[in-house]
Amino acid sequence: MTLDPMHAMIRFGLGRRGSEALPTDAKAWLRAQAQEPDPAQAAPISSMLAALEAHRLDREMKVMEGQPSRVSLLWKADAPIAMRILAETEVPFRERLVWLWANHFTVSLRKGELRPLALPYVQEAIRPHVTGRFVDMLRAVIRHPAMLWYLDNHESMGPESAAGLRNHRGLNENLARECLELHTIGVTAGYTQNDVTEFAKVLTGWSVDMGAASPGFAFMPERHQPGPKTVMGMSFPEGEAGGEAALTWLGNHPATFRRVAERLLRHFAADQPAQDDVRRIADVLRQTHGDLKAATLAMLDLPAAWQPLTKLRAPADYVVASVRALDLPEAERPDMLGLMGHFGQPLLNAPLPNGWPDTAADWADGEMLLRRADWAVGVAGKHPTLDPMALAEASMGDLLGTATRQAIQRAGSRREAVALALASPEFQRR
Amino acid sequence: MAPHGPPLTTRRATLLGLAAVATLRGASLALAAAPTDRRFVVVILRGALDGLAAVVPYGDPHLVGWRGGLVPKRPGQTDGLLDLGGFYGLHPALPALHAMYAAGDLLPVHAVSNGTGTRSHFVAQDRLELGSLHEGITSGWLNRVAGRFGPPKSGETALAVGPSLPLLLRGPAPVGTWMPAGGGHVDAGFYAELAALHAPDPTTGPAIAMALQERGFSAAALAGMAPLPNQGAFPSLCAAAGKLLAAPDGPRLGALEVGGWDTHAHQMQRLPPVLKTLDDGMANLKDGMGEAWKQTVVLVVTEFGRTVRGNGTQGTDHGTASVAFVLGGAVAGGRVAGTWPGLAQPNLFENRDLQPTADLRGVAKGLLAQHFAFDAATLAAVFPDSAGAPPMKGLLRA
C-alpha cells in the first residue's frame, strides 16, 4: 500500500506549509520526526525560574501604575515564539505530540498566576519527554510549579506534620485525585476515597519555594505527613522518596498504559479507536516500560492510522493549518492566539483539569464552524493576490473533492474562492 | 460595514419547538421549546457547590466543630446568614434568593445527591446530565423531556446559542447554535454555497445548516439583549433566557450552566463572588420572565457536595450530598425541603461527607410530575432505572 504524504501531513502533522516539499516516503518522514532530536527544545521560551523570579519581583517591587507586570511581559514574549514554532516547524508530528501530552497533563491560564509559567511548563515538563518514557513525563509534570499551583498541592500539608500542627492546616487532595483519575490509572481502576486521601498524604510537602535563592520545586519536610502510606494496597515510605515511588508505580501501571494508548489513538487515528489497536499499543508500552517513542512508532504501523480522515480539526489545529496553508510572512500572519480563542479553544485555557475534548462531536459546533468561514472571508479579502486553486491543491491534494473543486472554480470572486477552500469540509478534517 | 444579507430564516416562529444555547466565559444557556405555557429551567453548577456553605444548617450543634472557619456569622449579625426559619440560613451573598424565599418562591432541598457514589467531577457531571447510571443512555434527560412533547412541527428546528451544548440537552431532539456576536459582513450567497458544500458531511453539514438558521433568528429575537453593564456573562445569559422564555412563542425548556464552585482552597474568599453571580442570575431570570414567572419552575443542581470538614487549605474537597434549589412562581417555597441527616460523626457519609437523604432524580421527577403532569411511565422513560428514587411530592403549589 502506498501511503499518501498529504494524509501524513494532515493527520499526523499540522497541514502543509505553502508548497513545502512533499515527503517521498510518508512513514519514513514521520518515523524520523519521532526519532530525531527536537529542534524546538532550543527555542528561547522563558524558563520556569525566570517566571517565578518575575512573580517574586512583581510582589516585592510594586508594578508602577500603567506599566505592565513582569509576568505579563514574559507571556507576551513567549507566546509568539510558540506560535512561530507551530507555523514554521519542519517536524510538525513532534509538535502535535507536544500539544497532545500538554493537553493530557492540562494546566490552564484560567488560574491567572499560571500565565508566565504555562509555556515554560510545556517546554520543560512535556517537550523533552514526548518520545521518552511516560513515567519521566509524569514525574516532571508533578514536580513542576505550574502543576503544583494549578492543582493546589503547594499548600497541602500533612495534618500531623510539623507545619500542619503548628498552623492547623491539612490536606488538599486536588492534585492527588486528578493525578489518579486524569493523569494515570483512570477512574475505572478501582481506587477508593481512602486511596485518594492516602496519595494526597504521600504528596504532602511537594511544594513551590518562592523564598529560595532559586525559586522552584521544593520538598518541604515540615509539611510532609509522617509515616508510611498505603495506596491501593501498595506501601510507600515517608518522605520525598514515597512520592517518587508512587509516581513510578502509577506511571508504569497497566491501567495507565491502556489510557495512554487510547489517548494516542484517539488523537491521531479515530474518535473511537478499536480495542484491538488500543491493546496492541498498550502491550508495546508494557514491553518497553512505557516508551512513548516505541508506542508512537507502533501506531504508524496500524492500518487504522492510514484510514480516510474522519477526525475534525480542533480549533487550534485549524488555525495552525490555515496559517501554514496561507504561508504568509510572519509580519502579515493573522493573530493565531486570538483566533484560537475566537474559534473556541484559547491556548492553554481549558476550563477543567481534564483538558480539551478530542472527538469530532466535541468540535462540530455550527456557530464555531461559521466563525471559521467568516474569518476565512476576511483573511482572503486582506490577501487579494492569493491563488485559490493553487492553495486548495497545495493544502489538500487528492483529498480535495470534486464538489469543493467546482465551487472554488465557479466562485464569484477570488476572495470567495479562497474562503471556500479554507472553509470547505475537506479542510476541516484531519 | 456593509448591511447584512437577507437572513436565511427571519420568522421568529421558526423558534417554536426548539433548543438554544449560549456560552460565554464558562457560563452557558440552552433552550428548547415545548407545546405548553409552563416553563422549566435547569441550572447546573459545575465544580460541586458546597451545600453546607450555601444553605448553612447553623442550628446543627456539630457544624462549627467540623468547619468553624468556613461558617458565616449567625443571622442578625453584620454580614450574617439570611435566616430560613431558625435552623438553616442562606449565605449572605444570596439576598435575591432570600427575597424569593420570603415570597414563597424558593424551596431549597437539602442533603440531595445524584446517587452515583463517585467523587469524580467528570463522571458525576455526566451522570447528573444523563440522568442515569446505565451505560446505554447517551442523551441528556432534559432532551428526553423535550422528546416527550412529540417531534417538532415541520420546518421547526432546535436552536442553541454558544460554542457547546451541555450533555443535559444533547440527544435526538435537534439542536443548533447561536452566538451573541454575529458575523455581520459576510454575503448570504457565500453561506448558501458553504451550506451546500457541507450538506453531505454527516458531522459538519447539519451543524452548519442549523447555525445559519439561528443567525437569522438571532438578529431579530435577541436585539436589545446585549450584556448589561457591570455584569458577568452568567447574569446576562439569565436575563436573555428570561426574555426568550417569556415570549408567547418562545422556548419552554432551558438549561443554564455556571462554573467556579470547586473551592479546594480559601473558600471564604472564593465562594461569595460565585454565589453572587448565581444570585444575580436568578434575579435577572425572574425579572426577564415577568408575568411568565408564575408558570415557571427552575431547578438548580450540582454534581456533588463537599467535605463536611474544612481541608488543610481553608477549602473543602469533593464530597457527596449537597443542596438543590427549586425556584419560581409555581413553587411551594418558603421552607427547606429534604430530610436533615445531622452532622454528628456517626451520621456522616464515610466519616467525611454530608449523608444523602434524597436522590436528585426524585426531585426532578417530582417537579415533572406536577408541572407537566408526566405519568409514571413517562417519568420512567425520562429517568430509566430510577425506581429507587420516587418522585418527591409537594414541591409545587397545588
Side-chain angles (χ1 to χ4, degrees), chain A residues 169-171 181 193 374 423, chain B residues 120 177 191 198 201 266 312 352:
Chain A
R169 302 268 298 269
L171 296 177
E181 177 176 345
Q193 174 58 44
D374 291 345
Chain B
S120 156
T177 52
Y191 285 141
H198 280 270
D201 187 311
H266 311 294
R352 138 187 188 115

Side-chain angles (χ1 to χ4, degrees), chain A residues 15 37 261 264:
Chain A
L264 191 65

